[in-house]
């Protein structure tokens, strides 16, 4: 059922505002965003749609096509992650209240989404960005895309407690079709880069839970690394700002595992900036090499891969893909594979075969179309 139909069926009236936002895949720049480095994501064709209407209860009344369960939540309470997906919506509402952009008297919301959850495609940012846009529209407050991204980021980071960076919400809000977005996360500066590659997504089916998981631990390790490196370079604010030419000094200054984490972040930062230049010049073959290097660094140094992801990347490489790597936080989820159209069928078949041999099932493989960011939707 679509969001508007679910809204009518649940609340008995028509919604007053609607918006949608996409999932994303990150081409390169993993675990760099919360370290002040660059990322290079692309918005996907799969989207989350949120329709909204006024509520007289002063509360949030929410329902989703995923489970069809209706919930009423008092968003003024601070219950962090304790509300399930409603916590994300509550976080957005609280941020909108702070910004003076919330609908008065609460809101009713219905959600429909085709962004898979826990697949590393950022279903949560699709939800928070679409919710912020729909509720601001309902309140008749025109917020800019960057303001929406900021509200969505703080909803996840400050309210739900996922210590993510700004990548997911920024691409969900600012994406344009046919382009990747280079985001320099320390300054929030962005640049649209035409993306003409043929990209496949391989869903390993391995699911992870970000909020309670390893992402928060990695972030603490990065902060510990910065604290120690400040003894060497007192003005260091972000791990990604450590000069790449001083790698030996960094290694001397840090014990394991901080050393490995930091070497990944500094190397990944250089790879991502170089990768963006290559992509802008259409040098897909060299760009693909960087994807393999990035995966290796994620696997060995950041230790955020999974056997299923490693298997997909190895099979893609053997079959002649231009590049492949895990994408998103890691520890499961999705691998991306950059292919030459002529070899696509062969590579797809090789990945399917290798995965089936190891795990007795075939992973879903889809083709990426670099799509648009958030938008208002007609209320139907
Ligand atoms: C998650 C976070 C992002 C980013 C990636 C890793 O998807 O939400 O902000 O940190 O992990 O690159």
């Amino acid at each position: 059922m679509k969001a508007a139909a679910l809204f009518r069926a649940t609340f008995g009236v028509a919604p007053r505002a609607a918006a949608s936002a996409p999932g994303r895949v990150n081409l390169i720049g993993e675990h760099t965003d919360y370290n002040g480095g660059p990322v290079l994501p692309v918005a996907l064709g799969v989207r989350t749609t949120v329709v909204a209407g006024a509520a007289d209860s002063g509360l949030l009344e929410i329902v989703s096509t995923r489970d069809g369960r209706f919930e009423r939540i008092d968003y003024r309470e601070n219950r962090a992650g304790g509300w399930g997906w409603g916590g994300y919506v509550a976080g957005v509402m609280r941020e909108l209240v702070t910004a003076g952009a919330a609908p008065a008297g609460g809101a009713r919301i219905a959600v429909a989404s085709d962004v898979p959850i826990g697949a590393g495609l950022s279903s949560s940012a699709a939800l928070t960005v679409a919710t912020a846009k729909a509720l601001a529209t309902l309140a008749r407050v025109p917020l800019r895309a960057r303001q929406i991204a900021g509200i969505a980021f703080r909803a996840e980071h400050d309210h739900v407690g996922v210590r993510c960076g700004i990548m997911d919400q920024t691409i969900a809000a600012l994406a344009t079709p046919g382009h990747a977005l280079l985001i320099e996360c320390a300054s929030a500066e962005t640049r649209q880069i035409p993306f003409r590659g043929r990209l496949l997504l391989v869903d390993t089916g391995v699911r992870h839970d970000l909020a309670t998981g390893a992402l928060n631990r990695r972030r603490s390790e990065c902060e510990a690394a910065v604290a120690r490196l400040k003894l060497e370079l007192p003005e260091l604010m972000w791990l990604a700002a450590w000069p790449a030419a001083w790698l030996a000094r960094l290694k001397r200054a840090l014990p394991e595992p901080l050393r490995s984490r930091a070497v990944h972040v500094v190397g990944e930062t250089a790879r991502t900036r170089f990768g963006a230049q290559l992509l802008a010049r259409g040098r897909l073959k060299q760009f693909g090499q960087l994807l393999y290097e990035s995966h290796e660094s994620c696997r060995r140094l950041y230790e955020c891969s999974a056997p299923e992801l490693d298997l997909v990347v190895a099979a893609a490489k053997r079959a002649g893909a231009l590049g492949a790597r895990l994408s998103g936080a890691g520890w499961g989820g999705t691998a991306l594979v950059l292919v030459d159209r002529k070899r696509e069928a062969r590579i797809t078949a090789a990945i399917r075969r290798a995965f089936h041999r190891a795990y007795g099932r075939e992973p879903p493989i889809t083709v990426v179309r670099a799509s648009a960011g958030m938008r208002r939707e007609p209320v139907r």
Side-chain angles (χ1 to χ4, degrees), residues 24 26 29-34 39 120 122 124 156 162-169 210 215 328-330:
R24 64 97 186 93
N26 188 22
E30 223 59 87
H31 297 284
T32 45
D33 62 352
Y34 54 84
V39 291
S122 196
S124 58
E156 293 193 45
V162 181
R163 303 196 61 211
C164 57
I166 63 168
M167 162 166 71
D168 304 344
Q169 302 79 16
L210 270 188
L215 177 65

Side-chain angles (χ1 to χ4, degrees), residues 242-263:
W242 182 268
W246 290 3
L247 219 50
R249 197 162 154 192
L250 176 145
K251 286 181 183 166
R252 273 198 306 276
L254 296 176
E256 287 295 2
L258 306 190
R259 183 189 303 151
S260 294
R261 311 296 186 243
V263 171

Side-chain angles (χ1 to χ4, degrees), residues 19-23 43-50 112-115 122-123 125-131 133 172-173 372-375 377:
S20 72
L44 301 173
V46 284
R47 303 181 77 83
T48 295
T49 302
V50 173
S113 179
D114 49 10
V115 185
S122 196
S123 57
L127 173 65
T128 50
V129 168
T131 301
K133 179 76 175 165
M374 74 175 185
R375 58 175 176 244
E377 297 286 350

